[in-house]
C-alpha cells in the first residue's frame, strides 16, 4: 500500500511542477486566448487513466490531469487507483484528440494471498461533447505491468481500449 502512495505522490508533485511553469498571460506566449480550462467528474474505465469514479482537470493551456479510484470490499480488500497526465492536440473545446501517460494500481487480499500490480503506459484518445456539459471519451492504451510481489515487469503486447463519461463544470 505504501508503494502505490509513493507512486501517486511522485505523479502529483510532477503535475504541480508542470502547471507552475504556465505563463500568467496567454497572449504573451503566442497561444490563442481561448479558455480551455474545465473540471470534470464522472466514471472512467481505462488501464492508463484509472477505473471508477474519476476527476479530470484541463488547464488553460493543453495540459490535463486525471485521477480515478474504485475501492471494493468483497472477500477481502480490493482497490483500483490511477492517475495520468494528459496533453490535448487541439484548441477546440467541444472535441479534440489527446495523449496520456499514467499508471493504475490494483491490490487484492484474498485468503492470505496478495495480488499487487501496477499498470503503466501511454495512450491516445478522443474527447467530445454529447451535450454542453456531458463529455464522452474513448481511448487506446499501451501498457506494461509491474508485479510488486514477484518484482518483475510484464509487457502487455496488445492495445487495451478505454471509455469515460464525464460531467463538465
Amino acid at each position: 500500500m505504501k508503494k502505490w502512495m509513493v507512486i501517486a505522490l511522485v505523479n502529483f508533485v510532477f503535475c504541480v511542477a508542470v502547471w507552475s511553469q504556465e505563463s500568467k498571460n496567454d497572449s504573451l506566449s503566442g497561444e490563442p486566448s481561448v479558455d480551455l480550462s474545465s473540471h470534470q467528474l464522472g466514471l472512467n474505465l481505462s488501464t492508463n487513466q484509472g477505473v471508477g469514479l474519476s476527476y479530470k482537470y484541463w488547464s488553460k493551456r493543453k495540459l490535463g490531469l486525471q485521477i480515478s479510484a474504485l475501492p471494493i470490499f468483497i472477500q477481502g480488500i480490493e482497490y483500483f487507483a490511477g492517475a495520468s497526465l494528459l496533453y490535448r492536440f487541439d484548441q477546440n473545446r467541444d472535441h479534440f484528440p489527446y495523449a496520456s501517460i499514467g499508471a493504475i494500481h490494483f491490490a487484492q487480499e484474498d485468503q492470505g494471498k496478495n495480488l499487487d500490480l501496477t499498470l503503466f503506459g501511454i495512450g491516445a484518445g478522443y474527447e467530445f461533447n454529447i451535450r454542453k456539459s456531458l463529455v464522452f471519451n474513448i481511448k487506446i492504451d499501451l501498457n506494461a505491468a509491474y508485479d510488486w510481489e514477484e518484482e518483475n515487469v510484464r509487457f502487455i503486447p496488445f492495445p487495451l481500449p478505454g471509455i469515460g463519461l464525464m460531467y463538465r463544470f
Side-chain angles (χ1 to χ4, degrees):
M1 178 122 149
K2 291 179 186 178
K3 295 170 189 170
W4 96 265
M5 287 182 188
V6 170
I7 291 170
L9 181 63
V10 168
N11 200 356
F12 177 75
V13 169
F14 179 74
C15 292
V16 170
V18 168
W19 281 323
S20 68
Q21 300 299 319
E22 286 188 0
S23 171
K24 301 281 186 204
N25 189 350
D26 285 339
S27 64
L28 294 177
S29 65
E31 294 282 332
S33 59
V34 177
D35 185 9
L36 299 174
S37 64
S38 71
H39 298 271
Q40 298 176 7
L41 189 62
L43 298 174
N44 194 58
L45 176 60
S46 169
T47 57
N48 187 337
Q49 296 170 331
V51 174
L53 185 61
S54 184
Y55 169 77
K56 185 188 294 185
Y57 172 73
W58 286 107
S59 70
K60 290 181 181 180
R61 296 234 174 149
K62 296 181 177 186
L63 295 176
L65 169 69
Q66 185 167 358
I67 300 170
S68 301
L70 178 65
I72 303 172
F73 301 101
I74 301 172
Q75 295 180 336
I77 300 170
E78 301 178 19
Y79 67 88
F80 294 93
S84 62
L85 289 172
L86 309 169
Y87 179 80
R88 68 191 313 154
F89 292 109
D90 195 353
Q91 293 289 338
N92 191 332
R93 185 177 168 94
D94 295 331
H95 57 89
F96 54 88
Y98 67 91
S100 65
I101 181 170
I104 177 175
H105 187 77
F106 171 74
Q108 178 183 23
E109 297 175 15
D110 188 23
Q111 299 176 355
K113 184 177 179 184
N114 293 335
L115 178 62
D116 199 7
L117 292 174
T118 299
L119 294 171
F120 54 92
I122 59 173
Y126 196 81
E127 183 170 302
F128 56 93
N129 289 351
I130 297 174
R131 300 245 187 249
K132 184 175 182 178
S133 295
L134 193 59
V135 178
F136 182 74
N137 58 58
I138 55 174
K139 51 199 148 261
I140 297 290
D141 302 326
L142 296 173
N143 293 298
Y146 183 77
D147 188 338
W148 293 96
E149 296 293 323
E150 297 178 15
E151 297 183 355
N152 65 5
V153 175
R154 301 176 195 160
F155 292 99
I156 301 171
F158 49 87
L160 299 170
I163 59 171
L165 184 62
M166 311 290 278
Y167 173 76
R168 181 186 329 188
F169 55 96

